[in-house]
Amino acid sequence: MLPASLKTLIDLLSRLPGLGQRSATRLAFYLISQPTADLNNLAQAIKDLPVKVKHCPRCFNLTSNNDLCLICADKKRQQNLICVVEDILDIIPIERTKQFGGVYHVLGGLISPVDGLTPDKLHIKELIGRIKQFLAQNIQPELILALNPTAEGDTTSLYLEKILKPSNAKITKLSRGLATGSDLEYADETTLINALKYRH
Ligand SMILES: [Zn+2]
C-alpha cells in the first residue's frame, strides 16, 4: 500500500544499526514532512561519505581526503607516543579528556579467531612498520594499549606485547579503572583521565 520509493527507504533505513522495521517506518514518515532543501542536504551528505571521508594512511583514523588526519598532521603532538585503539570511535572519548598529547593507531578490530579476526586482518603490520621507523631513527616509541577490557582485548594486548617484545618499544596499558567488559567508548572522562595517567 505504500509508494515503492517510500518502501525502499524504509527497507534501507531498517538495515541501519538500532533501527527496526517500526522505527524505520516512523523515521521515513518524519522525513516526508521535512523541507526539500533539508532532504537534499541529508542525501548529499550521505552521498559524499565514500568520496570525501577516507582513512588516514598512517593511523587509520578518519580524514577528509587522502592526507594524514588532523591528529597525525599536528606538529605539536608527540609522534612517538602511540595510543593503540580498537576502532575510530575509541579516539573520541580519549580526545575529549584533552590529556593525551600523542597520536593513535586504529587496529580495526580485536583478535577473535572464532569471528575470523586473525592478526593479519587487523592493522598490526602497519603498527609494526611505524615502530620500526622510529627505531631506525634511534627514537624510542611508546605504545599505550587502550583496548577494551574484554577477552578479545586481552588476547590482542598479549599478542601485541609478544610480537613487539624484541623491538624494545616501551609498552604500557591503561590502568584498570575501567570496569572489566566495559566499553572505552562509554567510559566517563575522569575514569579515562586516570586510566591514562596511571597506565602501567
Ligand atoms: Zn592519522
Side-chain angles (χ1 to χ4, degrees):
M1 66 173 227
L2 294 175
S5 58
L6 184 58
K7 233 179 139 290
T8 307
L9 178 63
I10 294 170
D11 279 348
L12 292 170
L13 288 173
S14 69
R15 287 186 216 166
L16 299 177
L19 286 182
Q21 194 71 20
R22 188 194 282 238
S23 32
T25 307
R26 211 173 280 158
L27 188 51
F29 274 84
Y30 166 80
L31 289 172
I32 294 173
S33 65
Q34 297 308 297
T36 308
D38 288 0
L39 294 180
N40 285 337
N41 287 340
L42 177 64
Q44 192 60 46
I46 293 172
K47 239 173 144 178
D48 283 346
L49 284 179
V51 189
K52 296 192 177 166
V53 181
K54 302 280 184 199
H55 290 281
C56 173
R58 187 182 289 166
C59 74
F60 299 95
N61 183 16
L62 293 178
T63 182
S64 50
N65 40 47
N66 286 318
D67 296 334
L68 291 179
C69 70
L70 291 174
I71 294 174
C72 285
D74 186 344
K75 295 254 175 3
K76 291 197 288 293
R77 300 187 75 124
Q78 200 185 328
Q79 296 289 333
N80 61 329
L81 177 62
I82 305 173
C83 182
V84 180
V85 292
E86 175 186 350
D87 69 24
I88 297 160
L89 282 173
D90 294 330
I91 294 178
I92 299 167
I94 299 175
E95 282 300 287
R96 216 183 285 136
T97 67
K98 297 194 172 68
Q99 302 289 312
F100 180 64
V103 293
Y104 294 91
H105 191 88
V106 180
L107 291 177
L110 294 173
I111 298 172
S112 176
V114 279
D115 302 312
L117 279 173
T118 45
D120 57 301
K121 302 262 168 51
L122 309 175
H123 300 303
I124 290 178
K125 54 179 180 315
E126 291 87 347
L127 177 62
I128 295 169
R130 288 176 78 179
I131 292 166
K132 279 189 179 154
Q133 274 185 355
F134 285 116
L135 295 172
Q137 301 167 63
N138 278 324
I139 299 170
Q140 168 86 4
E142 179 182 346
L143 294 188
I144 303 172
L145 303 181
L147 304 174
N148 287 323
T150 56
E152 291 82 11
D154 289 344
T155 306
T156 310
S157 291
L158 281 172
Y159 178 83
L160 289 174
E161 282 170 319
K162 198 175 126 209
I163 56 158
L164 293 171
K165 201 162 190 225
S167 75
N168 284 324
K170 186 179 174 198
I171 301 176
T172 53
K173 277 192 267 189
L174 288 189
S175 78
R176 283 308 174 90
L178 296 167
T180 302
S182 72
D183 208 315
L184 204 64
E185 199 187 326
Y186 302 110
D188 71 82
E189 237 159 83
T190 321
T191 309
L192 261 181
I193 289 172
N194 286 329
L196 273 168
K197 200 158 126 196
Y198 301 111
R199 61 183 190 261
H200 52 85

